[in-house]
Amino acid sequence: MISVEEAFSRIVGDVKPLTTEKLPVAETSGRVLAAPLPARRSQPGADMSAMDGYAVRNTDLGGKEPAALKRIGESAAGAPFTGKLGAGEAVRIFTGAIVPEGADQVVIQENATEDKGTVYTREAPSPRANIRGKGQDFLERQVVLDAGTFLTPKSIGLAASAGYAHLMVYRAPKIAILSTGDELAAPDQKSFKAHETVNSTAPQLAALFKDAGAVVLPPMQAGDTLKDLKTAIAKTADADILVTIGGASVGEKDLIQQALSESGMKLDFWKVAMRPGKPLIHGHMGDRHVLGLPGNPVSAFVCALLFVRPLIDALMGRPAPMPSGVMLPLAAGLPENGSRQHYMRAQLTGEPGSRHIAPAAEQDSSLLTVLAQSDGLIVRAPDAPAAKAGDLVPFLPF
């Protein structure tokens, strides 16, 4: 049995990003840029007016003495003035319009009046006032986003502005989820027998993985026979990650490790010093990552949170540190911990700025009601001493 830290290192530590793919820029949120992005244009592409007003030569302005300038045209955002501004002249200009040649200041319209083609202003000379210079945001060929950038709506806007309709990003991993067990029933069947268990874990994990940006393949289910399991495993060849649920313990019906091994998996480890989630299988089938999760729904969720989601991050080129949580005070005391690292479901209490964490009274790994009502996990290190209310402990929100 290995520690949580060692298990994490073996699963995630040396993982390299997947191959790249080209996607429409609007579809890249949550992805990682695979190559530097040099701007294909300058922004702005020319000197632009930052305000509505009049483009003038600042040498024509008299400050306290009113200046009378001849209006010779108009410059709009989509229709620039094509002439040249001379002495004693002004051009009506609008926000986002190109500043005409010869002009070096924009007088805002509130500080000017116009009558019969003459513009009157008492504006003081202020070179470059209300002008956004060419390339003020970025220049053509300037790298606006580095390789490895985690793309968000704000960076997507920058990429589009730099002239990119498509971006090269690391591919999202494809995940196959294989639920195992003769007792599993579909959530929507008309009635349930006492021995049946609704397969709640597969949709729960599918949602977790999709939220992390992975592509989840159609769900699969197999009974407790080697033939069924190996037949299902053979259908997951296109997956980057194979996640199995159940059958990872030591019972006579726990056949998933044997089925995986006979299907070509090279076992890395089995069993982690944690609770819930001790019977965790990790191995590889060629380039395919294999994680065999326990059957109890809370155990599977905790293992997926700690190991599979960071693996998804690493495969997509994102930072994937071991989830460690934040330090928060306990709302109630806890007894000393045993030899396995314990992940305890808990709720946040109190107002923002004075939050405490209250451990759930029931920690049985089958209780989905407790999981659904929790805000995260208290992390108790192996052999941690008893803790009292107010003590700071690591809290992993989800």
Side-chain angles (χ1 to χ4, degrees):
M1 193 158 51
I2 64 175
S3 70
V4 172
E5 290 76 11
E6 184 176 349
F8 185 87
S9 178
R10 290 197 194 182
I11 295 170
V12 181
D14 295 327
V15 169
K16 303 298 184 207
L18 295 171
T19 54
T20 59
E21 62 181 344
K22 197 173 188 179
L23 292 180
V25 65
E27 298 177 14
T28 60
S29 185
R31 297 296 190 93
V32 172
L33 195 63
L37 208 66
R40 297 180 55 240
R41 57 183 294 272
S42 296
Q43 174 59 28
D47 286 353
M48 301 285 189
S49 178
M51 304 289 283
D52 293 337
Y54 294 88
V56 301
R57 303 189 332 160
N58 72 83
T59 53
D60 289 335
L61 302 179
K64 294 182 180 180
E65 296 298 323
L69 308 172
K70 179 183 178 183
R71 170 175 168 162
I72 61 170
E74 178 179 287
S75 184
F81 178 78
T82 57
K84 182 176 180 180
L85 198 70
E89 296 177 335
V91 168
R92 178 71 167 123
I93 196 166
F94 300 97
T95 303
I98 292 179
V99 176
E101 184 182 356
D104 56 7
Q105 184 171 338
V106 171
V107 176
I108 63 174
Q109 63 186 21
E110 292 85 349
N111 293 341
T113 58
E114 182 178 343
D115 182 41
K116 297 179 180 179
T118 300
V119 178
Y120 300 94
T121 175
R122 292 180 181 274
E123 188 86 356
S126 180
R128 308 294 295 175
N130 302 309
I131 293 175
R132 297 183 179 126
K134 177 181 179 179
Q136 180 177 324
D137 197 358
F138 53 81
L139 291 167
E140 185 178 355
R141 293 188 293 276
Q142 176 185 336
V143 174
V144 294
L145 292 171
D146 293 320
T149 297
F150 178 72
L151 295 167
T152 62
K154 60 184 180 183
S155 52
I156 286 170
L158 174 57
S161 181
Y164 289 88
H166 293 79
L167 299 178
M168 193 66 72
V169 295
Y170 290 112
R171 182 170 62 80
K174 294 182 286 186
I175 299 185
I177 299 175
L178 171 58
S179 304
T180 71
D182 293 333
E183 76 282 7
L184 294 180
D188 59 350
Q189 68 184 40
K190 291 183 178 179
S191 61
F192 303 97
K193 297 176 182 178
H195 72 275
E196 292 180 323
T197 299
V198 171
N199 185 1
S200 60
T201 307
Q204 180 185 60
L205 297 190
L208 179 68
F209 302 155
K210 286 178 181 177
D211 285 350
V215 176
V216 178
L217 301 176
M220 302 178 63
Q221 190 167 309
D224 289 321
T225 69
L226 279 174
K227 180 180 178 181
D228 281 355
L229 292 169
K230 291 168 71 173
T231 298
I233 291 168
K235 296 177 180 178
T236 67
D238 289 339
D240 300 295
I241 306 173
L242 168 58
V243 174
T244 66
I245 303 168
S249 193
V250 294
E252 291 182 4
K253 294 289 188 178
D254 294 320
L255 301 172
I256 190 63
Q257 185 176 157
Q258 180 180 348
L260 288 166
S261 295
E262 292 182 8
S263 298
M265 181 190 76
K266 183 179 179 182
L267 179 66
D268 181 18
F269 66 79
W270 172 52
K271 293 186 182 179
V272 181
M274 61 183 288
R275 58 174 176 155
K278 174 184 172 182
L280 175 70
I281 297 168
H282 176 245
H284 293 89
M285 299 176 72
D287 293 332
R288 199 180 338 165
H289 301 262
V290 180
L291 284 146
L293 308 187
N296 274 328
V298 176
S299 302
F301 178 81
V302 170
C303 288
L305 196 69
L306 293 176
F307 303 115
V308 184
R309 194 165 69 175
L311 176 58
I312 293 169
D313 287 334
L315 289 171
M316 295 180 71
R318 301 191 295 237
M322 181 175 170
S324 57
V326 295
M327 301 299 288
L328 288 176
L330 284 168
L334 289 172
E336 63 182 16
N337 191 31
S339 61
R340 289 187 282 158
Q341 190 145 300
H342 194 184
Y343 293 88
M344 306 179 69
R345 282 153 285 170
Q347 287 182 317
L348 290 168
T349 64
E351 298 299 319
S354 59
R355 293 289 200 193
H356 285 65
I357 42 177
E362 295 285 348
Q363 293 290 333
D364 187 284
S365 60
S366 68
L367 301 179
L368 281 173
T369 51
V370 177
L371 181 66
Q373 293 163 5
S374 297
D375 299 304
L377 301 168
I378 294 172
V379 184
R380 297 282 282 156
D383 303 313
K388 62 182 183 297
D391 285 351
L392 294 176
V393 294
F395 179 71
L396 186 62
F398 55 65

